[in-house]
Amino acid sequence: MRIRKEDGAGGKYMMDFLKKHVISRFDSRAGEIALSDLDDSSDFDGYAFTTDSYVVTPPIFPGGSIGSLAICGTSNDLAVMGAKPAIMSMSLIIQDGFTVENLDRILDDMAGWLEKINAQIITGDTKVVEANIGIAANTSGIGLKNKHLERNLEVVREYRSYPYSWVRDRGLAEGDAIIITGNIAEHAAAVMASREGFGFELDVESDVYAVWLFLKHALDTGGITAMKDPTRGGIAAALNEMAEKSRVGIIIEEERIPIGENVKSFCDVLGLDPMSMANEGKVVMGVVADQAEDVLKTLKKAGQKDAAIVGHATSEFEEVVVETPIGTRKVLPPPVADPIPRVC
Amino acid sequence: MRIRKEDGAGGKYMMDFLKKHVISRFDSRAGEIALSDLDDSSDFDGYAFTTDSYVVTPPIFPGGSIGSLAICGTSNDLAVMGAKPAIMSMSLIIQDGFTVENLDRILDDMAGWLEKINAQIITGDTKVVEANIGIAANTSGIGLKNKHLERNLEVVREYRSYPYSWVRDRGLAEGDAIIITGNIAEHAAAVMASREGFGFELDVESDVYAVWLFLKHALDTGGITAMKDPTRGGIAAALNEMAEKSRVGIIIEEERIPIGENVKSFCDVLGLDPMSMANEGKVVMGVVADQAEDVLKTLKKAGQKDAAIVGHATSEFEEVVVETPIGTRKVLPPPVADPIPRVC
């Protein structure tokens, strides 16, 4: 048997692969979160801990680079737990012959984002290889508990019991509003359109962004019960994971899903489903219903002007269901794999 | 300008590359150890933290695999600080078409070493790519302060002031004995000889091993002032780094350097310098002179039967100098690059 692209593509095949080969051997926990929970980060001694390797092609794309991804992506996996990104490691695998100019641009992007989120790289590693990988970057990140997270948990607990010390995928409950913090599918679309020889113009940049910069304000408003960073597998994967882990259904109103006109046309023409395409600066969150409008207001004030309440959690069924403007309903299944490989 | 193999080869060129491109942008510290200290690990809040990506070819070799390297190598970078390896992340980049049998063998090696050192992987990531990389693995590791380390520092401080809370590269002082914990160059030689089409038989296995398993006993005996994990660049790189950071010279007696007969012949025939070849289960350490024989005894009792006192630190000069059996002396320069690429 051989490894297939789908085994690393963020969808159902990857989950099956991880369960069979990785979790079966390594499952353990050092704190509240087990490896098998497949949350965005794990934890130990009150710190959040996560890792991600980036293999995007091309490594420099409209709106950013693998350097922006390496800092934003890993810090986002911490931020959606409510953790303040603080300490990172950085490891590069560089192809012999990669240009120093491109490397410098990538490292500049890293340094810029680190400064914005006030995090630091304290340990690293570099390997040079002959394989035609261009550049691959790994960052591992350590996140801290903080007053924004504590405030959020306080507000949630005014409404119901919440037995977690981080914001967990499994924290969603019936009635919680579902918020998407901005226009979807922009990262995958921008990277795809920038590929050499693609022959399709698209005036969209990647949405790569460090979500901690707005999440800390949303946490201060409080009431967030679950969050995910919808990268590989997109919104469809994130919603399905949240629903499954929380044992609730989710109903989404199709016309409320924020998406830019040009990305929508791009997807229509190419037959791509934007719901399963990667984002790199967005969050899908569940919020206690009474707090949802306030959290939305805070997100908009913090620059996420396209943020929207798109639906709510329900105990009517256990799937993710999308309701069209004319009232018909269809199940949104977890994607089997990301439609566009190597976007992150 | 383009990246060259030497920029990732563990020697002088890599140091220059790191200073110019990485440290210039990212240098910072969260605890006692700055990124620019280029110690085997950094630290934050009393934890040691390190990262390493592994790109060895072939990924399965006599004595182990990239899986053994991923656990031993990263845990060794923690162990030589005196830290107990505890928590790890694991990220894989796998080539589309890599066999599941080989992957399972690699993951089994990881699981086996984790069990031996009582550490755990709590977070991970998998990417599948088309690039001809075979498999690359990153592990980041978090190490804990522990009674073995505290005991060692107590003993060192009976002899002199030691203002560090970990065992640092820069801790060496005049008169300290230099110990190498076993036969050198076995990892690089075993990997090289196992390469397809190499056409040279060598009955040696990689020395890949988790050095914490014997270091904890050596720390209990106490008096260790500096340690390094001599991987890329080998003993020559490790000794030069220690000498430079500690601002002392080191004199080594050539005939005391532990090396197996077959590895020595292999290197002689191929014109390779075993002093600059990678090890994956050895430690170079400085030990307070009065404690050196006791530490050596402990190492042998803990299974490191070829461990040897090979020289001592001196204020006579500032280089690493090797003395031959007939009394002539030659400077051992830091290697410019590892003579064998992609061994770790």
Side-chain angles (χ1 to χ4, degrees), chain A residues 269-289:
Chain A
V269 168
L270 293 169
L272 294 167
D273 175 13
M275 294 292 279
S276 59
M277 283 164 64
N279 309 273
E280 289 291 344
K282 299 300 181 318
V283 177
V284 181
M285 56 173 74
V287 184
V288 170

Side-chain angles (χ1 to χ4, degrees), chain A residues 107-123:
Chain A
L107 296 175
D108 280 342
D109 284 346
M110 286 190 186
W113 281 107
L114 283 171
E115 197 181 338
K116 280 181 195 138
I117 59 174
N118 191 25
Q120 51 187 163
I121 289 173
I122 64 167
T123 186

Side-chain angles (χ1 to χ4, degrees), chain B residues 4 20-21 36 43 70 79 87 100 105 110 116 139-140 162-163 177 185 191 232 243 249 269 286:
Chain B
R4 308 159 302 169
K20 183 166 172 200
H21 297 281
S36 56
D43 70 330
I87 305 282
V100 170
R105 157 76 196 274
M110 286 189 185
K116 281 182 195 139
T139 44
S140 298
Y162 192 86
V191 169
R232 282 181 289 178
V269 168

Side-chain angles (χ1 to χ4, degrees), chain A residues 1-3 21 25 28 45 47 52-53 91 97-98 100 104 108 120 122 125-127 132 140 232, chain B residues 1-3 21 25 28 42 45 47 52-53 91 97-98 100 104 108 120 122 125-127 132 140 232:
Chain A
M1 265 189 37
R2 291 179 181 276
I3 303 294
H21 297 280
R25 285 182 174 84
S28 65
D45 292 0
Y47 296 89
D52 233 324
S53 286
S91 178
F98 194 80
V100 170
D104 279 340
D108 280 342
Q120 51 187 163
I122 64 167
D125 178 53
T126 309
K127 295 286 192 308
N132 58 343
S140 297
R232 282 180 291 178
Chain B
M1 263 186 45
R2 291 180 180 275
I3 303 294
H21 297 281
R25 284 181 175 84
S28 65
S42 189
D45 292 0
Y47 297 89
D52 233 324
S53 286
S91 180
F98 193 81
V100 170
D104 279 340
D108 281 341
Q120 51 188 162
I122 64 168
D125 178 53
T126 309
K127 294 287 191 309
N132 59 343
S140 298
R232 282 181 289 178

Side-chain angles (χ1 to χ4, degrees), chain A residues 7 51 71 112 133 197 278 282 287 331:
Chain A
D7 295 324
T51 192
I71 303 304
I133 188 109
K282 299 300 181 318
V287 184
V331 170

Side-chain angles (χ1 to χ4, degrees), chain B residues 192-203:
Chain B
M192 190 175 183
S194 74
R195 284 192 180 152
E196 208 176 322
F198 184 70
F200 197 106
E201 289 283 318
L202 176 69
D203 187 22

